[in-house]
Amino acid sequence: MATPTQSTILCVDDDKVTLRVIERLLANNGYAALTAESGEQALQTMQKTKPDLILLDVMMPGMDGYEVCAKLQQDKDLSYIPVIFSTAREEEEDKARAFALGAVDYLVKPTPKDVLLQKVASHLKTKARWQDLGQTSTPRRPEAQAADFSQFKTFLSTRLSPTPKTRETLSALTPVQLYQQAAAVGVSATEMARYVADFLHLPYLPLFRPEEVALGILPPPFCKKNLVVALNDTGGGYAFALSNPFNWELIQLLKRWKGQSSATPKLLVTDPQNIMSLFEQEAVRDTENLRKSSMADIEEQLRKRYQAEVETIQTVGDAAEESEPVILLANQLIEDAYGMGASDIHIEPWENEVIVRYRVDGVLRIGHRFRPQSLIRPLVSRIKVMSDLDIVERRLPQDGRIVFKKFSGKGLDFDLRVATTPMNFGEKVVMRILDKNKAIISLSNLGFSPRHLQLYREKITTPYGMILHVGPTGSGKSTTLYSALKEIQTPEINIQTIEDPIEYTLPGINQMQIHREIGLTFQRALRSYLRQDPDVILVGEIRDRETAESAVEAALTGHLLLSTLHTNDAASTIVRLIEMGIEPFLVSASIILVCAQRLLRRLCPECRETYQPTEEEKQLVGVAPHADISLYRPKGCRTCNGIGYKGRVGVHEILVPDDAMRRSLGTSGITSEVIKRLAVENGGMTTLYWDAMEKVRAGLCSTEDTLSEVRKDEFDSRPPWMFEELGLERPHTLQ
Ligand SMILES: [Zn+2]
């Protein structure tokens, strides 16, 4: 029998030898040990004796450890007893699972004696502290709480500009209903969490991984009830992630728990769903019939199919990529991406799960997370089958293409460019959606300023010369070029393209896909084109001297040649061509226009809000000092999924060489700085910075987002006409 000072520990294991060893070890160290040889027997013993701690074997015939723990959680009297799992394998996944089921920790068999004793002692101590905390009454400070919360409601109403009805709901809101009533005041739970974080100046945590959870700090039932969880901090300590910091009692408890009576523990605000999902992972087993949506169905099928295999051995057979759920999953991921207008799909093996991210409007966002992690193998294999790649080759990167029409049950017709790369946790797949039938946007809708649009239209109707579009990948170069071709296309002119890949199908235009593997390069295709009497040629990209030479030759022999280059701005493009080995006089004779471009995020027109900029900001965006002007910033609403931005808008820098510049190109050692200065001061060129600021002043873009995309050192390159137009004084140095 246990003496009053002894702690009682229940050991559960189907192996009698193990039980006897642990029993003796515990008894020798001053504990009262009880034993049970099965799950059923363990439950009976618990109900009778209410032990202080349970050491629970996971793999047992009949009722296994997971089930015992789940039963325990349903019993109010037993749910606070710390349970330590004893498992045969150490997997991060087991850790997450243990926590989800309500265990405080887990031990890996065979367990060294000192580790076992140390864990037992530490969790008993934690339990005792919890009991003490529960007995000391929480000092109630409802007035402080009420003040904070009512300030928060005021803050929320200035952000939401509520209707009279939502204003009423808002004023009746209590701290407890914060998330239940979120929809009623017109925001999602995620937006609400962001507002809370903003208001309290706490960091917002969009997502965390189950393995970041610090085990054994807070009892799982407490976490579940109060939607709080302890996370391992990068600094070696831990922080609490919670969704409702207005819960005064909870905060007080956490403060005392950390043992710092006055200091606030490190808090992070997160969406309540993020915490709930830690526990739902396992609850799914009991509520199979509740899952309805198609993705949920597929996930469920996958889980059933692979969970068992994962628990025993790691391998999922290669043949599995043809299994029904995997086929459905691959299709669903692609269809989802297409439906939300994503440009790219990233399928990534992380340490313990598979993450699917979608790039929408240039920004990657997590779309799905799957477990088990071993799903990556059949999923990648399936995608390889769809794109005719070698499914056995997993160590080398591969490139391919999916003609989705062949696989889509919904008649969707688009292609995907596929690239696989081996990473440390498995193969990663990136797919770019090539929607050949997407409507070509007209030039006037690309965001060109009136001045730029006029200039651009004038040059693309010139009979010969070279037009270059430059900017990083994803800056919208191809979109602009296709729009240009569409605008100049008539039955009277012959337009031929050389592309890699063909991103759009253009009716009435001859398009060629290059094939480097058989020697059909840009340069070779271009040479053959010159014998076919085209009027306009589009070359996908110039990246070597040979292609550049042929392009210049085409431009100088009566053709309009359009192409792209990977340079950052218009001026450096000219220098790049010279560096590639093209004679400066040929460059100067052939180029008629260089357009550098970027895509900026467009403020959501539904929810953007006005504000008065500071004098410093006015200067940055090019507004006269003390001018009365409002700018716009992002807010977030349902239309834009709480992001505050929706779609993108192009910003441009157009360089048209004049005679003076052509002359100076001939001088040796010309730099891009000189070209840029000539273009701005003599030619009146608007740089990317100032074109972007025009969009900021028009309320299309935010200052913050824009400043992160353009070069601030361009602030001083303003064409003379701009000072006049904006009513600004010209700096003396320029006069
Ligand atoms: Zn919005």
Side-chain angles (χ1 to χ4, degrees), residues 295-535:
M295 186 55 97
D297 275 352
I298 296 169
E299 272 191 75
E300 190 54 37
Q301 288 185 46
L302 288 166
R303 202 190 312 272
K304 277 187 198 151
R305 194 176 180 103
Y306 296 110
Q307 194 73 58
E309 287 172 61
V310 167
E311 272 165 19
T312 48
I313 38 166
Q314 272 296 21
T315 52
V316 173
D318 284 336
E321 83 277 355
E322 290 306 336
S323 79
E324 185 72 10
V326 173
I327 293 175
L328 288 173
L329 177 65
N331 276 17
Q332 189 71 47
L333 293 177
I334 293 171
E335 284 163 8
D336 277 3
Y338 184 74
M340 65 175 79
S343 57
D344 303 85
I345 309 167
H346 292 232
I347 299 175
E348 305 172 332
W350 288 22
E351 196 173 358
N352 304 297
E353 57 191 335
V354 178
I355 302 279
V356 179
R357 300 195 287 171
Y358 296 117
R359 189 180 293 282
V360 180
D361 291 339
V363 180
L364 275 175
R365 285 177 212 297
I366 292 186
H368 302 282
R369 328 169 55 127
F370 299 104
R371 280 161 175 270
Q373 198 267 7
S374 53
L375 247 178
I376 193 73
R377 283 268 292 258
L379 184 56
V380 171
S381 294
R382 171 62 191 164
I383 290 166
K384 285 180 176 172
V385 167
M386 292 167 86
S387 37
D388 283 332
L389 295 177
D390 180 358
I391 68 164
V392 184
E393 179 55 77
R394 297 197 186 87
R395 293 162 308 167
L396 290 173
Q398 297 188 65
D399 299 317
R401 190 183 184 102
I402 296 176
V403 179
F404 194 58
K405 190 169 60 177
K406 291 199 286 190
F407 305 98
S408 169
K410 297 178 182 162
L412 295 173
D413 181 12
F414 55 88
D415 292 3
L416 297 114
R417 189 172 62 191
V418 180
T420 69
T421 33
M423 312 299 280
N424 51 344
F425 296 118
E427 278 179 292
K428 167 172 175 157
V429 178
V430 178
M431 296 187 272
R432 160 147 298 189
I433 295 180
L434 306 171
D435 190 0
K436 296 172 292 178
N437 304 311
K438 198 157 71 178
I440 306 274
I441 307 166
S442 85
L443 271 184
S444 52
N445 287 331
L446 289 176
F448 277 117
S449 66
R451 184 188 172 87
H452 279 156
L453 188 60
Q454 195 193 352
L455 205 54
Y456 191 71
R457 282 194 158 135
E458 187 189 308
K459 295 300 172 191
I460 56 170
T461 46
T462 309
Y464 60 88
M466 181 148 75
I467 291 181
L468 294 173
H469 278 263
V470 301
T473 307
S475 57
K477 301 185 293 283
S478 320
T479 308
T480 312
L481 282 173
Y482 284 121
S483 303
L485 290 185
K486 191 188 166 199
E487 178 143 330
I488 59 177
Q489 183 188 10
T490 66
E492 287 83 45
I493 62 169
N494 175 18
I495 302 178
Q496 303 202 165
T497 75
I498 310 165
E499 302 173 62
D500 184 32
I502 294 176
E503 288 185 37
Y504 297 86
T505 305
L506 299 160
I509 289 177
N510 305 288
Q511 293 175 277
M512 182 197 287
Q513 166 74 51
I514 71 152
H515 290 286
R516 284 190 189 83
E517 65 281 13
I518 55 163
L520 182 56
T521 58
F522 279 123
Q523 195 258 347
R524 189 155 168 197
L526 189 49
R527 295 232 65 85
S528 82
Y529 267 15
L530 291 180
R531 295 187 288 271
Q532 292 199 328
D533 183 35
D535 299 293

Side-chain angles (χ1 to χ4, degrees), residues 37-241:
E37 287 173 24
S38 70
E40 291 83 353
Q41 199 191 339
L43 277 176
Q44 286 172 7
T45 314
M46 281 174 219
Q47 271 146 5
K48 266 189 280 182
T49 58
K50 309 233 171 9
D52 295 299
L53 187 137
I54 300 165
L55 285 172
L56 183 59
D57 183 24
V58 173
M59 301 307 255
M60 292 186 291
M63 186 186 280
D64 68 13
Y66 295 134
E67 275 179 81
V68 172
C69 204
K71 286 250 167 19
L72 203 62
Q73 296 308 318
Q74 289 160 10
D75 189 323
K76 211 162 59 99
D77 290 339
L78 303 177
S79 65
Y80 277 79
I81 301 176
V83 177
I84 300 178
F85 274 158
S86 178
T87 71
R89 286 182 323 136
E90 182 171 28
E91 285 288 322
E92 282 293 335
E93 208 170 291
D94 295 336
K95 182 176 163 184
R97 192 161 186 202
F99 183 81
L101 282 164
V104 295
D105 213 332
Y106 69 104
L107 293 167
V108 182
K109 287 180 178 176
T111 314
K113 288 175 187 172
D114 51 338
V115 173
L116 188 140
L117 288 172
Q118 184 256 322
K119 287 216 174 182
V120 165
S122 129
H123 288 294
L124 281 172
K125 212 166 117 196
T126 305
K127 188 195 174 218
R129 277 193 68 196
W130 267 105
Q131 270 173 340
D132 291 348
L133 279 183
Q135 278 156 12
T136 43
S137 62
T138 309
R140 287 191 71 88
R141 290 269 311 283
E143 68 290 352
Q145 179 191 7
D148 284 354
F149 195 67
S150 85
Q151 274 170 25
F152 172 68
K153 290 201 281 189
T154 312
F155 165 86
L156 206 53
S157 83
T158 58
R159 290 294 189 93
L160 297 176
S161 23
T163 62
K165 191 161 179 295
T166 49
R167 189 177 293 277
E168 217 172 277
T169 318
L170 194 56
S171 77
L173 192 67
T174 66
V176 187
Q177 304 164 322
L178 190 61
Y179 291 95
Q180 290 133 330
Q181 291 291 319
V185 295
V187 297
S188 67
T190 309
E191 289 169 84
M192 185 62 95
R194 279 182 189 273
Y195 283 130
V196 170
D198 261 14
F199 173 73
L200 294 171
H201 302 291
L202 291 174
Y204 174 75
L205 189 65
L207 218 57
F208 55 85
R209 300 199 267 159
E211 56 273 22
E212 287 168 36
V213 172
L215 283 182
I217 308 271
L218 300 175
F222 175 84
C223 296
K224 203 169 170 177
K225 186 170 157 238
N226 293 290
L227 292 180
V228 59
V229 70
L231 298 180
N232 290 315
D233 197 16
T234 40
Y238 53 90
F240 298 112

Side-chain angles (χ1 to χ4, degrees), residues 604 606-607 636-640 644:
C604 170
E606 299 288 319
C607 66
C637 70
R638 262 180 246 189
T639 314
C640 57

